[in-house]
Amino acid sequence: MKRAYLADLLDFTAAPAWGERESLTVRWRPAHWLLVDGSGRIVAVQPEAPGPDWVHDRQPGRLLLPGFIDCHVHSPQIGVLGSWGSELLDWLNTYTFPAETAWSDPAVAARGTAHFLDALLAHGTTAAAVFPTVHAHSAAALFEGAAARGMRMIAGKVLMDRHCPPGLSDDPADVARAERDCVDLIDRHHGRDRNAYAVTVRFAPTSTPAQLAMAGALCRADPTLYMQTHVAENRAEGRWVAELFGDARSYLDVYDRVGLVHPRALLAHGIWLDDTDRAVLRERGAAVAHCPSSNLFLGSGLLDWPRLQRQGVAVGLASDVGGGTSLSMLRTLAAAYQVQALRAGLAEATEPRLTAWVALDAATRGAAAALQLGHEIGRLEPGLMADFTLWDWQATEVDRERQRLARDLHERVFAWLTLADERHLVGTWVGGQPRYARTP
Ligand code: GUN
Ligand code: ZN
């Protein structure tokens, strides 16, 4: 089937500079056609309508974006969204570990995973780096569910073997058992469909040194594997890591010294890193997943994003549900602006604020680059997968009035991403297939 979509196309050709509202990296193609053939890839973008052998889908005045990429999210945590009253470590023990323990039942994990993947699509997210639970079946369910929906998935069984409830722990006396679970999942899913395996260390406090060493060895044995974990999210967490790993130079060093920090490593948060840590991330080519709504909700801290950018560390945006408060990458982008505004305001810094361009890029092209997937996703370009979303500019009278008053493209897009959410989403396509359509 050859289909062509008429809409206003927006994407980025390179990283926009911090603070620049007029940027040559912004590719704005109003009233253009996106052509998708039976391969599920984009074959052309053009101003003129294609010939009669193409099915025409006219969506004039609507915004067409690359599918969002969520660089860090937890599939079993939809049920802990909006849990009151805790900071990170208390929140994990009170809400999150019990919710994840329930996924020891494969039927519960299967139902929850299907719900989670459909929810991603209903928020315009077509690719994600996901933490399931410690149970191998929860990772298998993600890979199988993503394949059934054509989605781009990076995931792996969570590794954790201490400081957690028994129902959520690998056996610390048998590190080889968790390793076998990983190898089996790698053999069955890594590089199949659109799945890639990530060695998934929950965070340093919940892995014994022996398990961390095993995870590092897996990465060294196969450089095509991803690695995902949490780092330097919260101050009490940082103190705990320093107590547990007194011989490490820093929290990041706990991972780095066993070989977990490499070009396919994705580290969530990174708020409390120091200059040496940032230099290590840059040298290794590893990326930070910035989780602004989670950082606000759990009171973890305010990421200095421009400093990471200045030091050459790649940053991708992430919802971090359920520490984060929404699967919507638009809500996440709006939170990212607020985090930068608050940080600069408290420091009385004169630096420019986060632009719509830097924000949107970090949830599309920039996220794809951070995941080394720029050849496949993140832009509206011939040869890339046709993972895209269609949006209304306005869903309410307030939106309409605000859009009417916008004076230039940046103002229009920034106001849109500040006000909009998943109710503005008209549809989501993955590999050219419609996978979500708003009910009229
Ligand atoms: N650190 C370790 N586990 C988690 C988690 O599930 N969520 C967040 N935000 N931080 C973590
Ligand atoms: Zn997380």
Side-chain angles (χ1 to χ4, degrees):
M1 181 71 99
K2 291 161 61 165
R3 286 195 91 95
Y5 301 85
L6 172 70
D8 297 337
L9 275 56
L10 177 63
D11 68 344
F12 302 89
T13 55
W18 193 271
E20 221 172 70
R21 277 176 297 173
E22 281 187 25
S23 169
L24 292 175
T25 66
V26 179
R27 187 159 52 179
W28 170 239
R29 292 174 286 186
H32 274 58
W33 291 86
L34 180 87
L35 277 56
V36 181
D37 72 4
S39 70
R41 290 183 185 273
I42 297 167
V43 292
V45 176
Q46 59 191 48
E48 60 281 348
D53 53 332
W54 290 83
V55 177
H56 290 189
D57 188 341
R58 291 171 194 275
Q59 303 281 348
R62 283 183 160 150
L63 180 62
L64 192 152
L65 298 176
F68 283 133
I69 302 164
D70 188 338
C71 290
H72 178 91
V73 58
H74 298 256
S75 54
Q77 293 184 14
I78 299 243
V80 297
L81 271 163
S83 291
W84 183 86
S86 313
E87 57 80 54
L88 173 65
L89 300 175
D90 180 48
W91 173 84
L92 283 173
N93 288 317
T94 309
Y95 298 111
T96 309
F97 288 163
E100 294 190 12
T101 304
W103 280 37
S104 59
D105 178 345
V108 173
R111 264 199 311 279
T113 302
H115 174 65
F116 168 78
L117 291 169
D118 288 336
L120 285 184
L121 293 169
H123 288 75
T125 297
T126 54
V130 183
F131 281 54
T133 63
V134 71
H135 317 101
H137 59 248
S138 73
L142 261 181
F143 288 131
E144 285 156 17
R149 293 162 180 79
M151 297 168 78
R152 191 3 125 170
M153 176 59 53
I154 296 173
K157 137 195 168 50
V158 175
L159 291 166
M160 49 200 293
D161 65 352
R162 63 169 171 172
H163 300 135
C164 56
L168 215 51
S169 184
D170 292 311
D171 182 355
D174 185 6
V175 176
R177 166 84 202 276
E179 183 179 15
R180 277 199 305 280
D181 282 350
C182 295
V183 169
D184 181 48
L185 286 162
I186 293 164
D187 287 346
R188 282 193 290 141
H189 299 289
H190 183 55
R192 301 252 166 93
D193 301 301
R194 298 181 70 190
N195 290 323
Y197 195 83
V199 174
T200 302
V201 175
R202 176 165 218 127
F203 70 153
T206 45
S207 282
T208 56
Q211 191 176 62
L212 289 170
M214 178 274 282
L218 282 175
C219 289
R220 275 197 303 278
D222 182 353
T224 69
L225 294 176
Y226 285 87
M227 193 288 295
Q228 56 181 353
T229 191
H230 298 87
V231 72
E233 175 175 2
N234 162 299
R235 291 213 260 203
E237 170 211 25
R239 284 192 296 274
W240 192 23
V241 171
E243 274 167 33
L244 291 170
F245 300 91
D247 52 341
R249 194 202 69 79
S250 68
Y251 190 161
L252 182 72
D253 189 47
V254 173
Y255 301 134
D256 189 45
R257 64 189 186 169
V258 294
L260 286 170
V261 184
H262 52 70
R264 292 189 167 209
L266 197 53
L267 297 106
H269 308 293
I271 298 166
W272 303 101
L273 299 172
D274 63 20
D275 276 347
T276 307
D277 291 329
R278 282 183 283 268
V280 168
L281 288 176
R282 181 213 164 105
E283 258 170 51
R284 305 279 185 270
V288 165
H290 174 33
C291 312
S293 81
S294 168
N295 299 158
L296 293 171
F297 185 73
L298 295 175
S300 302
L302 304 170
L303 180 77
D304 193 338
W305 183 350
R307 183 184 245 170
L308 277 171
Q309 202 185 50
R310 280 196 303 277
Q311 288 193 237
V313 181
V315 176
L317 252 290
S319 70
D320 193 27
V321 160
T325 47
S326 171
L327 284 176
S328 164
M329 293 308 287
L330 291 177
R331 305 312 329 121
T332 304
L333 299 178
Y337 179 85
Q338 291 165 9
V339 165
Q340 294 314 314
L342 184 55
R343 188 187 52 74
L346 289 172
E348 297 190 28
T350 54
E351 73 195 29
R353 296 278 155 91
L354 180 66
T355 62
W357 308 143
V358 172
L360 266 178
D361 179 66
T364 53
R365 186 213 63 85
L371 298 173
Q372 314 231 330
L373 292 174
H375 56 286
E376 179 188 320
I377 53 175
R379 288 171 297 142
L380 304 171
E381 178 108 7
L384 270 67
M385 292 299 286
D387 295 353
F388 62 95
T389 49
L390 192 66
W391 302 86
D392 280 332
W393 286 99
Q394 302 130 2
T396 67
E397 281 310 316
V398 171
D399 292 343
R400 250 181 286 286
E401 182 63 1
R402 181 64 188 90
Q403 287 296 323
R404 191 179 68 75
L405 294 171
R407 290 164 302 183
D408 60 29
L409 185 63
H410 183 267
E411 194 170 317
R412 191 175 177 204
V413 174
F414 182 73
W416 175 72
L417 71 80
T418 302
L419 298 179
D421 59 28
E422 63 277 15
R423 284 167 293 188
H424 295 66
L425 180 62
V426 177
T428 304
W429 284 257
V430 190
Q433 299 293 320
R435 296 290 181 185
Y436 167 76
R438 188 174 64 193
T439 39

Short mmCIF file of all heavy atoms in Angstrom, two decimals, residues 174-199:
data_model
loop_
_atom_site.label_atom_id
_atom_site.label_comp_id
_atom_site.label_asym_id
_atom_site.label_seq_id
_atom_site.Cartn_x
_atom_site.Cartn_y
_atom_site.Cartn_z
N ASP A 174 23.72 -16.87 43.35
CA ASP A 174 23.83 -17.55 42.05
C ASP A 174 23.75 -16.51 40.93
O ASP A 174 22.76 -16.39 40.22
CB ASP A 174 22.69 -18.58 41.93
CG ASP A 174 22.79 -19.41 40.65
OD1 ASP A 174 23.80 -19.27 39.94
OD2 ASP A 174 21.86 -20.19 40.38
N VAL A 175 24.85 -15.75 40.79
CA VAL A 175 24.87 -14.66 39.79
C VAL A 175 24.68 -15.21 38.38
O VAL A 175 24.10 -14.56 37.50
CB VAL A 175 26.20 -13.87 39.90
CG1 VAL A 175 26.29 -12.81 38.82
CG2 VAL A 175 26.30 -13.21 41.27
N ALA A 176 25.14 -16.45 38.19
CA ALA A 176 25.05 -17.05 36.85
C ALA A 176 23.61 -17.25 36.40
O ALA A 176 23.32 -17.28 35.21
CB ALA A 176 25.80 -18.37 36.83
N ARG A 177 22.69 -17.37 37.36
CA ARG A 177 21.29 -17.59 37.00
C ARG A 177 20.72 -16.36 36.28
O ARG A 177 20.08 -16.47 35.23
CB ARG A 177 20.51 -17.90 38.29
CG ARG A 177 19.03 -17.84 38.19
CD ARG A 177 18.46 -19.17 37.66
NE ARG A 177 17.13 -18.94 37.09
CZ ARG A 177 16.01 -18.91 37.82
NH1 ARG A 177 16.05 -19.14 39.11
NH2 ARG A 177 14.85 -18.67 37.24
N ALA A 178 20.96 -15.17 36.86
CA ALA A 178 20.48 -13.94 36.21
C ALA A 178 21.19 -13.75 34.86
O ALA A 178 20.59 -13.28 33.88
CB ALA A 178 20.73 -12.73 37.11
N GLU A 179 22.46 -14.12 34.82
CA GLU A 179 23.21 -14.01 33.56
C GLU A 179 22.56 -14.90 32.49
O GLU A 179 22.39 -14.48 31.34
CB GLU A 179 24.66 -14.43 33.80
CG GLU A 179 25.53 -14.27 32.56
CD GLU A 179 26.97 -14.67 32.82
OE1 GLU A 179 27.25 -15.34 33.85
OE2 GLU A 179 27.82 -14.32 31.99
N ARG A 180 22.18 -16.12 32.88
CA ARG A 180 21.54 -17.02 31.90
C ARG A 180 20.22 -16.43 31.41
O ARG A 180 19.90 -16.51 30.23
CB ARG A 180 21.30 -18.40 32.54
CG ARG A 180 22.52 -19.31 32.51
CD ARG A 180 22.12 -20.78 32.70
NE ARG A 180 21.34 -21.02 33.91
CZ ARG A 180 21.86 -21.13 35.15
NH1 ARG A 180 23.16 -21.05 35.34
NH2 ARG A 180 21.07 -21.35 36.19
N ASP A 181 19.46 -15.81 32.33
CA ASP A 181 18.21 -15.16 31.92
C ASP A 181 18.49 -14.09 30.86
O ASP A 181 17.77 -13.96 29.86
CB ASP A 181 17.52 -14.49 33.12
CG ASP A 181 16.80 -15.50 34.01
OD1 ASP A 181 16.65 -16.66 33.60
OD2 ASP A 181 16.38 -15.09 35.12
N CYS A 182 19.53 -13.28 31.10
CA CYS A 182 19.88 -12.22 30.13
C CYS A 182 20.28 -12.83 28.80
O CYS A 182 19.80 -12.41 27.74
CB CYS A 182 21.03 -11.36 30.66
SG CYS A 182 20.64 -10.41 32.13
N VAL A 183 21.17 -13.82 28.85
CA VAL A 183 21.68 -14.40 27.60
C VAL A 183 20.54 -15.02 26.80
O VAL A 183 20.46 -14.88 25.56
CB VAL A 183 22.80 -15.43 27.91
CG1 VAL A 183 23.17 -16.24 26.68
CG2 VAL A 183 24.02 -14.72 28.48
N ASP A 184 19.63 -15.66 27.50
CA ASP A 184 18.49 -16.28 26.82
C ASP A 184 17.62 -15.20 26.13
O ASP A 184 17.22 -15.36 24.97
CB ASP A 184 17.68 -17.06 27.87
CG ASP A 184 16.50 -17.76 27.23
OD1 ASP A 184 16.70 -18.42 26.20
OD2 ASP A 184 15.37 -17.61 27.76
N LEU A 185 17.37 -14.11 26.84
CA LEU A 185 16.57 -13.02 26.23
C LEU A 185 17.33 -12.39 25.06
O LEU A 185 16.72 -12.02 24.04
CB LEU A 185 16.24 -11.96 27.29
CG LEU A 185 15.17 -12.36 28.30
CD1 LEU A 185 15.22 -11.47 29.54
CD2 LEU A 185 13.77 -12.29 27.66
N ILE A 186 18.64 -12.24 25.22
CA ILE A 186 19.45 -11.67 24.13
C ILE A 186 19.35 -12.57 22.90
O ILE A 186 19.10 -12.10 21.79
CB ILE A 186 20.93 -11.51 24.59
CG1 ILE A 186 21.03 -10.43 25.67
CG2 ILE A 186 21.83 -11.20 23.39
CD1 ILE A 186 22.34 -10.43 26.45
N ASP A 187 19.51 -13.87 23.11
CA ASP A 187 19.45 -14.82 21.98
C ASP A 187 18.09 -14.75 21.29
O ASP A 187 18.00 -14.84 20.07
CB ASP A 187 19.68 -16.26 22.47
CG ASP A 187 21.14 -16.49 22.84
OD1 ASP A 187 21.98 -15.64 22.47
OD2 ASP A 187 21.43 -17.50 23.52
N ARG A 188 17.05 -14.59 22.07
CA ARG A 188 15.71 -14.65 21.47
C ARG A 188 15.24 -13.31 20.88
O ARG A 188 14.44 -13.30 19.95
CB ARG A 188 14.69 -15.13 22.52
CG ARG A 188 14.76 -16.63 22.73
CD ARG A 188 13.58 -17.15 23.50
NE ARG A 188 13.65 -16.72 24.89
CZ ARG A 188 12.60 -16.34 25.60
NH1 ARG A 188 11.41 -16.31 25.07
NH2 ARG A 188 12.75 -15.97 26.86
N HIS A 189 15.75 -12.18 21.41
CA HIS A 189 15.13 -10.90 21.00
C HIS A 189 16.09 -9.83 20.47
O HIS A 189 15.66 -8.94 19.74
CB HIS A 189 14.35 -10.31 22.19
CG HIS A 189 13.24 -11.19 22.66
ND1 HIS A 189 12.09 -11.37 21.93
CD2 HIS A 189 13.11 -11.95 23.77
CE1 HIS A 189 11.28 -12.21 22.58
NE2 HIS A 189 11.89 -12.58 23.69
N HIS A 190 17.34 -9.86 20.84
CA HIS A 190 18.25 -8.76 20.46
C HIS A 190 18.46 -8.76 18.94
O HIS A 190 18.88 -9.77 18.36
CB HIS A 190 19.58 -8.92 21.19
CG HIS A 190 20.54 -7.82 20.92
ND1 HIS A 190 20.24 -6.48 21.12
CD2 HIS A 190 21.82 -7.83 20.44
CE1 HIS A 190 21.28 -5.73 20.79
NE2 HIS A 190 22.25 -6.53 20.38
N GLY A 191 18.14 -7.64 18.32
CA GLY A 191 18.31 -7.53 16.86
C GLY A 191 17.19 -8.17 16.07
O GLY A 191 17.23 -8.19 14.84
N ARG A 192 16.16 -8.68 16.74
CA ARG A 192 14.99 -9.24 16.03
C ARG A 192 13.89 -8.19 16.00
O ARG A 192 13.74 -7.42 16.93
CB ARG A 192 14.44 -10.46 16.76
CG ARG A 192 15.42 -11.57 16.92
CD ARG A 192 15.09 -12.74 16.00
NE ARG A 192 16.23 -13.64 15.94
CZ ARG A 192 16.38 -14.69 16.74
NH1 ARG A 192 15.44 -14.98 17.60
NH2 ARG A 192 17.45 -15.45 16.66
N ASP A 193 13.04 -8.24 14.96
CA ASP A 193 11.99 -7.23 14.79
C ASP A 193 12.66 -5.86 14.98
O ASP A 193 13.67 -5.59 14.38
CB ASP A 193 10.83 -7.47 15.77
CG ASP A 193 10.22 -8.86 15.56
OD1 ASP A 193 9.77 -9.13 14.43
OD2 ASP A 193 10.23 -9.68 16.50
N ARG A 194 12.10 -5.04 15.86
CA ARG A 194 12.75 -3.74 16.13
C ARG A 194 13.20 -3.70 17.60
O ARG A 194 13.17 -2.65 18.23
CB ARG A 194 11.80 -2.58 15.77
CG ARG A 194 11.43 -2.58 14.28
CD ARG A 194 10.52 -1.42 13.94
NE ARG A 194 11.24 -0.15 14.02
CZ ARG A 194 10.64 1.04 13.95
NH1 ARG A 194 9.33 1.11 13.82
NH2 ARG A 194 11.36 2.14 14.02
N ASN A 195 13.60 -4.83 18.10
CA ASN A 195 13.99 -4.94 19.50
C ASN A 195 15.51 -4.92 19.66
O ASN A 195 16.23 -5.50 18.85
CB ASN A 195 13.48 -6.26 20.08
CG ASN A 195 11.96 -6.27 20.23
OD1 ASN A 195 11.38 -5.24 20.57
ND2 ASN A 195 11.33 -7.40 19.96
N ALA A 196 15.96 -4.28 20.72
CA ALA A 196 17.37 -4.36 21.11
C ALA A 196 17.43 -4.61 22.60
O ALA A 196 16.61 -4.09 23.37
CB ALA A 196 18.10 -3.07 20.75
N TYR A 197 18.41 -5.39 23.01
CA TYR A 197 18.53 -5.73 24.42
C TYR A 197 19.39 -4.70 25.14
O TYR A 197 20.44 -4.28 24.64
CB TYR A 197 19.15 -7.12 24.62
CG TYR A 197 18.93 -7.62 26.04
CD1 TYR A 197 17.74 -8.23 26.40
CD2 TYR A 197 19.89 -7.42 27.03
CE1 TYR A 197 17.49 -8.64 27.71
CE2 TYR A 197 19.66 -7.83 28.34
CZ TYR A 197 18.46 -8.44 28.66
OH TYR A 197 18.21 -8.84 29.95
N ALA A 198 18.93 -4.32 26.32
CA ALA A 198 19.72 -3.44 27.19
C ALA A 198 20.01 -4.19 28.48
O ALA A 198 19.08 -4.66 29.15
CB ALA A 198 18.95 -2.16 27.49
N VAL A 199 21.29 -4.29 28.82
CA VAL A 199 21.67 -4.78 30.15
C VAL A 199 21.13 -3.73 31.13
O VAL A 199 21.51 -2.55 31.05
CB VAL A 199 23.20 -4.93 30.24
CG1 VAL A 199 23.62 -5.29 31.65
CG2 VAL A 199 23.67 -5.99 29.23
#
